[in-house]
Amino acid sequence: MNVRELIADHGSPLWLADADLFSANLRAFESVWKGHWPQSRIAYSYKTNRLAWFLHRVERAGGSAEVVCLAEYELARRVVADPTRIVVDGPAKPEPLLTRAGADGALVIADSLAELERAAVAGVRRVGLRVAVNSFTGTPSRFGIPPAEILAAARAAAALGLSVRALSVHLVSTDFEATSGRVVVSWPRAPDEHAAAAALLARLASQLGLESHAIDEIDLGGGLPAASACAGHARAVTRALRDHGFSGGLLLEPGRAVAADAVDLALSVVAIKSLACGARCVICDAGTNFLPGALTGPPRLDVPGRRGPRSPALVTGPLCLNADVVHPCAQLPALEPGDLLLARAVGAYQQSASTEFGEARPRVLVSERGTWRPADDLHHRRQVERQAA
Ligand SMILES: Cc1ncc(COP(=O)(O)O)c(C=O)c1O
C-alpha cells in the first residue's frame, strides 16, 4: 500500500512507524559496539519513542530499558523479563518509582547525594552515580554529581547500605543556551567527546576500586550516532576504557540512533497562499503540535510521487500561532490542497513529546514485514507480546 492509500484508509495526519527498520537499526548498533567491546549491552532510552512495538523489539533483541519516570517504568515492567536489567535515570524520580525499582532490584542512577538518601529509604540497593559533565554549549550540567564529589558520594552511598555498581554519563544532544535563550540541538557528539567522557568514568572507576567499590558497568548514555556512523565512536571509546584500565561492562542508551529514521509523519496540505512579501505559504494539517522538534530544526519534507521544478515554501501547521512552522524554507514542487507531504526521520522526541494542543494526536500505523497495521490493533498487539514472551 502506498502512503496515499494509507491516508485514505486511516486519515491525515498519520504516523508511520517501521518496526523492522527500528530492529535493524538496533541490531546494527549493537553489533558495532559488541565488535569493539563484547561486554556491551543496550538499554534503549524509552523517552525517545515509547511505541510498544519498538519496546518489544528491544526486548526480543536482548536489550533492556532506560527509563526516567514511573510511566516508563511501568511500561518496562510489562516488556522487560528481568527487571534487574532496567536502568532508572532522571533528575526527579518520584517516591513510587524508587520504591518499585528497589523492590525489583533495578539499577537506579542517582542524580545527587540527596537522591541517594531518598533511594536508600525507598529500599533501593543497586545504584549507579551519574557524573556531571558540561554540555556542548559549555553550560555546567544540572544532571549528576561533579566528578570531584564522586568519591564522597560513593562513600555516602556505602554508609547508607547502597551498593555502587555503575558510573553513568550522558552527553546531551539538546541544550538550552543561556546566553541566547535558545534551545539548540547538536547530535551526534564527536567521537573524542564520548571518549573523553569514557576516560573520565574509567579513571573514577579505578579510584573507587581502590576503596572496594566494584564498578561493574560504565554507562555511556546516549547522544551516539546510528550504526553507519558509529565505528569511530566505538573505537575511540573502547580505546579510552582500555587505556584507563577498565575491563567491565559497557552500557549504552541509544535513543535517536535507533528510533529517528524509523518513523515518518504523513501530513496533508490544507491551503496555499501567497504572503504579502511574495513568499509561498503551504498550510498543513500537522505542525509543531505533533512535530515539536521543528522548533529547533526542520524535518526533511518529501512529496511522494511528485516531480518537477522546486521552489521555496514556508510550511506551517494548523495552530493559530505564528511559531507553528514545520519548515521555514522547504524546497517543494508545485502543490495544491489535498497533496501529501512526508516529514521524514521524525521518530525521536516527536511522537513522545507531541501534544493535543489543537486536534487529537494522529493515529499510528506500524509496518512489520511490509504490512501496515494500526498500532492500536489489540489483536496484533497481543500477538507481538506473545512472540516477545
Ligand atoms: C540519560 C539519557 N540516556 C540516553 C538518552 C538518549 O539520547 P539520544 O537520543 O541522544 O541517543 C537521553 C536523552 O536525553 C538521556 O537523557
Side-chain angles (χ1 to χ4, degrees):
M1 252 203 243
N2 67 31
V3 184
R4 188 160 291 286
E5 288 168 326
L6 294 175
I7 291 261
D9 287 354
H10 300 279
S12 173
L14 187 62
W15 289 108
L16 300 170
D18 186 337
D20 294 330
L21 180 56
F22 178 88
S23 289
N25 289 345
L26 192 71
R27 276 197 305 274
F29 183 88
E30 187 182 38
S31 132
V32 170
W33 284 91
K34 281 218 152 118
H36 285 82
W37 196 268
Q39 314 95 291
S40 300
R41 73 171 179 115
I42 289 182
Y44 167 64
S45 161
Y46 271 32
K47 70 163 130 5
T48 310
N49 187 319
R50 59 196 210 194
L51 191 64
W53 269 256
F54 289 176
L55 309 187
H56 285 286
R57 292 298 185 105
V58 176
E59 176 67 4
R60 254 200 269 168
S64 85
E66 185 261 338
V67 303
V68 295
C69 60
L70 187 58
E72 290 177 5
Y73 189 84
E74 299 296 355
L75 273 177
R77 281 302 278 115
R78 293 214 289 274
V79 174
V80 180
D82 173 3
T84 65
R85 289 164 46 231
I86 301 175
V87 181
V88 181
D89 229 312
K93 304 173 189 73
E95 228 57 63
L97 171 58
L98 290 172
T99 307
R100 288 274 274 134
D104 293 337
L107 178 69
V108 173
I109 307 293
D111 189 61
S112 64
L113 284 174
E115 194 173 70
L116 284 170
E117 285 168 27
R118 291 178 57 230
V121 170
V124 171
R125 288 293 161 260
R126 295 170 63 235
V127 292
L129 302 176
R130 169 106 178 230
V131 180
V133 293
N134 284 356
S135 84
F136 60 89
T137 61
T139 337
S141 175
R142 63 185 179 83
F143 302 106
I145 302 166
E149 294 168 27
I150 286 292
L151 190 56
R155 288 177 186 151
L160 289 162
L162 299 168
S163 165
V164 183
R165 313 301 286 269
L167 291 177
S168 169
V169 76
H170 167 66
L171 301 188
V172 297
S173 45
T174 307
D175 195 22
F176 178 75
E177 200 175 49
T179 45
S180 65
R182 279 186 319 130
V183 175
V184 233
V185 176
S186 173
W187 172 76
R189 310 302 314 146
D192 58 339
E193 292 174 83
H194 286 280
L200 170 67
L201 264 52
R203 275 197 306 272
L204 290 169
S206 89
Q207 258 182 40
L208 296 194
L210 297 175
E211 292 202 4
S212 330
H213 304 285
I215 300 301
D216 309 329
E217 255 182 346
I218 279 187
D219 170 4
L220 215 58
L224 295 156
S228 57
C230 213
H233 291 70
R235 219 177 0 260
V237 161
T238 55
R239 189 186 305 128
L241 293 179
R242 259 182 234 105
D243 287 353
H244 291 84
F246 184 74
S247 59
L250 174 61
L251 175 60
L252 303 154
E253 300 170 351
R256 291 179 199 273
V258 293
D261 67 354
V263 181
D264 294 336
L265 180 73
L267 57 161
S268 301
V269 175
V270 177
I272 298 172
K273 52 185 182 178
S274 187
L275 304 186
C277 59
R280 175 169 61 139
C281 177
V282 176
I283 305 168
C284 299
D285 58 1
T288 51
N289 45 345
F290 306 135
L291 296 172
L295 291 167
T296 52
R300 195 181 100 214
L301 292 175
D302 286 348
V303 186
R306 185 64 68 89
R307 293 205 172 75
R310 292 176 173 250
S311 61
L314 167 70
V315 182
T316 62
L319 305 179
C320 204
L321 284 181
N322 211 26
D324 188 25
V325 171
V326 177
H327 202 301
C329 188
Q331 290 293 329
L332 296 176
L335 290 169
E336 48 193 67
D339 277 348
L340 193 76
L341 300 182
L342 266 185
R344 308 305 297 259
V346 289
Y349 311 106
Q350 307 264 357
Q351 243 171 314
S352 51
S354 70
T355 68
E356 294 212 342
F357 182 28
E359 305 294 352
R361 289 188 180 87
R363 288 193 87 183
V364 184
L365 296 190
V366 180
S367 166
E368 290 187 299
R369 291 180 290 278
T371 305
W372 290 99
R373 289 195 191 81
D376 49 13
D377 174 342
L378 280 182
H379 171 67
H380 179 232
R381 182 166 171 164
R382 285 200 192 102
Q383 270 183 336
V384 171
E385 285 173 0
R386 264 200 302 277
Q387 278 169 14

